[in-house]
Amino acid sequence: MFCFGQENVEDWLTELGLDEYWENFVQSGYTEPRMLEDLKVMNKETLKETFRIIKPGHLEKMYKAILKVQYPTEGRLLLS
């Protein structure tokens, strides 16, 4: 799971084995961890087009990982 404030987007992609898409994230403007929360509203087709993900297995892996992204609320930050 990706928890904002602990990693960066490039590290997250590397951990998923999808670091080859880092440049596509940069070109699309998704370089900050807080931005990943916005990806949850994208369907697979939009993800595919936005980040130019051709391999179905990579698309599925990224889609599932995005659904697990959690942005800590102020309350969670105060508890840590």
Side-chain angles (χ1 to χ4, degrees), residues 51-64:
F51 301 111
R52 297 180 299 282
I53 303 170
I54 297 168
K55 299 176 183 175
H58 286 185
L59 182 60
E60 186 67 25
K61 185 183 247 185
M62 183 162 309
Y63 183 75
K64 287 180 178 178

Side-chain angles (χ1 to χ4, degrees), residues 4-5 10 51 58 63 66 69:
F4 292 88
E10 188 174 13
F51 301 111
H58 286 185
Y63 183 75
I66 287 167
V69 166

Side-chain angles (χ1 to χ4, degrees), residues 27-41:
Q27 291 173 5
S28 297
Y30 288 93
T31 57
E32 297 296 321
R34 61 184 165 72
M35 296 173 170
L36 294 181
E37 189 75 22
D38 295 340
L39 301 181
K40 287 185 173 187
V41 299

